[in-house]
Amino acid sequence: MRKRFRKTVKIALVMIYLVIIAGAVVRMTGSGMGCPDWPKCFGYYIPPTELSELQFKPNHDYKKGVVIIVNEELQVSKEDFTSAKNFNINNWEPYTAHDYAEFNPLHTWVEYVNRLLGALSGIPILIFTIMSIWLWKDRKRFLLLSIFTVIAMGFQAWLGKTVVDSNLAPYKITIHMVMALVIVAVILYLIFASKTSFKNQKFDKTFRNGIIIATLLSLVQIILGTQVRQFVDIQNKLNGYFNWDITAIAPMEFYVHRTLSIVLLLINLWLFYRNRKLNLGYNKFKLVLICIGLEIATGIAMYYFNFPFSTQPLHLVIATIMIGIQFYIILESSRKHQPKTVKTST
């Protein structure tokens, strides 16, 4: 059961990262408001593909909650009814959560796929939560953390609704992103704690403290990165899609983000050197340096080449993968899992 539990948790981790990737694509394509309501999309479980489906139709059967666009406003049907020849306002009520009333089929379906993946990601989480009941006797924390993950997913879904209702308020997008990382961290802990054997890695307090600092700095970088992205979105709305030069109007957050990236690189290079010099055995650290290299490459491309297509979602996704690896190394570096100890601190 423990092996099956761990395998299911791994599947959940993959699904969560697919949701993060889908969310990055949503931001890249500007599809955040592709579905103006939540959890349905224009009142449908399967969204429309043509604008005509969102226009008033005479002698048509409407279900309660269906959304149409009338005079550039969203109208929601109050009850199930069959429409007459002319539009009757008494059968409808305005959608008041926001005033965004546009339809772009690409944006709608990109956002719909994002939501669909979010819903599907909950399935393995529910499964491993049920499985954790059988492990209660030996691993009580498995059930407690599994239940927490279910609650966190529900909270994340609610955050998604508030993001849509707020017409993509910047600070809510940031909270949404941070909550996704919290879920990733809990799932990674479950993967680590459900291992049946541990590698012969060495405990080194200096290395452990360093990787904790590096991970926290990565989190700060992700938060700063979302703020820079918010600035980019605003400029796109004001000046047209990347019809402007960030080198001329970059905000202070951008320069702080760029400076901290150098600090982050230096810390991780030092940790990599220490890991090799003392033969600590944290082989996953190579992946951290690969992620940092890719982050630097995409960051340079965005700054000097005016955000080439796909560089923004790649930058974000790589950052979330990197912080996940860093967090797992923190778990590996815990003293109680290490059979050996490094005495030197040099």
Side-chain angles (χ1 to χ4, degrees):
M1 176 60 73
R2 187 169 173 177
K3 290 182 179 180
R4 290 195 293 267
F5 173 83
R6 190 166 189 265
K7 182 178 180 181
T8 307
V9 176
K10 286 183 176 181
I11 293 173
L13 179 65
V14 172
M15 291 299 300
I16 292 298
Y17 268 110
L18 286 177
V19 175
I20 291 174
I21 292 171
V25 174
V26 167
R27 292 298 303 275
M28 176 185 69
T29 57
S31 303
M33 293 302 293
C35 294
D37 51 333
W38 191 98
K40 295 182 180 180
C41 190
F42 289 101
Y44 298 98
Y45 287 108
I46 300 178
T49 57
E50 297 179 359
L51 179 60
S52 60
E53 299 178 62
L54 299 175
Q55 295 174 334
F56 174 76
K57 302 181 185 66
N59 304 316
H60 183 77
D61 293 332
Y62 284 101
K63 299 293 184 181
K64 181 180 179 181
V66 166
V67 179
I68 62 173
I69 300 176
V70 179
N71 296 326
E72 298 183 352
E73 293 181 353
L74 297 178
Q75 296 288 337
V76 185
S77 59
K78 296 179 180 178
E79 301 289 347
D80 295 352
F81 73 97
T82 301
S83 60
K85 183 177 181 180
N86 297 316
F87 177 79
N88 185 351
I89 191 62
N90 294 324
N91 294 323
W92 305 86
E93 58 185 3
Y95 190 81
T96 57
H98 56 75
D99 58 359
Y100 187 90
E102 297 182 16
F103 174 70
N104 181 311
L106 174 62
H107 292 175
T108 294
W109 278 86
V110 168
E111 170 62 12
Y112 175 72
V113 170
N114 178 42
R115 295 186 185 186
L116 183 62
L117 286 172
L120 292 176
S121 66
I123 296 176
I125 291 175
L126 288 174
I127 292 174
F128 75 63
T129 299
I130 295 172
M131 295 172 70
S132 67
I133 297 174
W134 277 267
L135 299 171
W136 170 258
K137 184 177 180 180
D138 298 324
R139 292 290 187 272
K140 293 180 174 58
R141 65 181 181 273
F142 285 4
L143 178 58
L144 298 177
L145 289 174
S146 297
I147 293 174
F148 172 82
T149 306
V150 172
I151 296 173
M153 287 293 290
F155 180 67
Q156 182 75 331
W158 176 80
L159 280 176
K161 179 183 185 303
T162 63
V163 168
V164 173
D165 288 347
S166 67
N167 197 1
L168 310 181
Y171 75 95
K172 291 189 176 182
I173 294 176
T174 300
I175 296 173
H176 197 53
M177 182 73 251
V178 172
M179 192 62 204
L181 295 178
V182 170
I183 294 172
V184 167
V186 175
I187 291 177
L188 284 171
Y189 177 81
L190 287 172
I191 292 174
F192 177 78
S194 58
K195 292 175 67 173
T196 56
S197 62
F198 295 90
K199 292 182 178 180
N200 200 26
Q201 294 159 322
K202 300 176 184 178
F203 174 77
D204 177 44
K205 184 177 179 181
T206 303
F207 178 86
R208 178 172 171 79
N209 291 339
I211 188 62
I212 290 174
I213 292 172
T215 304
L216 291 175
L217 187 56
S218 294
L219 178 60
V220 171
Q221 282 289 77
I222 290 175
I223 294 173
L224 283 173
T226 59
Q227 293 177 348
V228 173
R229 177 57 200 262
Q230 291 157 16
F231 169 81
V232 170
D233 290 343
I234 292 172
Q235 295 304 314
N236 283 339
K237 290 180 180 180
L238 294 175
N239 304 304
Y241 190 72
F242 293 121
N243 189 28
W244 52 280
D245 185 5
I246 192 172
T247 61
I249 57 174
M252 180 59 66
E253 291 87 350
F254 171 81
Y255 293 106
V256 174
H257 183 64
R258 188 173 66 175
T259 301
L260 286 181
S261 67
I262 299 174
V263 176
L264 185 63
L265 173 63
L266 294 175
I267 291 176
N268 281 282
L269 285 174
W270 175 78
L271 288 170
F272 178 75
Y273 168 76
R274 186 174 184 83
N275 178 47
R276 293 197 63 178
K277 180 183 178 182
L278 302 180
N279 195 27
L280 300 178
Y282 299 104
N283 297 326
K284 293 182 180 64
F285 210 88
K286 296 177 183 178
L287 297 176
V288 174
L289 290 186
I290 291 173
C291 288
I292 291 177
L294 293 173
E295 284 289 270
I296 293 173
T298 53
I300 290 174
M302 286 188 291
Y303 183 73
Y304 290 104
F305 301 100
N306 205 26
F307 297 85
F309 185 77
S310 80
T311 51
Q312 292 179 86
L314 280 175
H315 197 68
L316 173 62
V317 171
I318 293 168
T320 59
I321 292 174
M322 182 181 73
I323 197 172
I325 298 171
Q326 289 175 313
F327 180 73
Y328 198 84
I329 294 174
I330 290 176
L331 297 176
E332 289 183 324
S333 65
S334 174
R335 180 190 293 272
K336 66 180 181 180
H337 296 296
Q338 311 306 324
K340 296 182 180 181
T341 302
V342 175
K343 295 181 179 180
T344 179
S345 60
T346 60

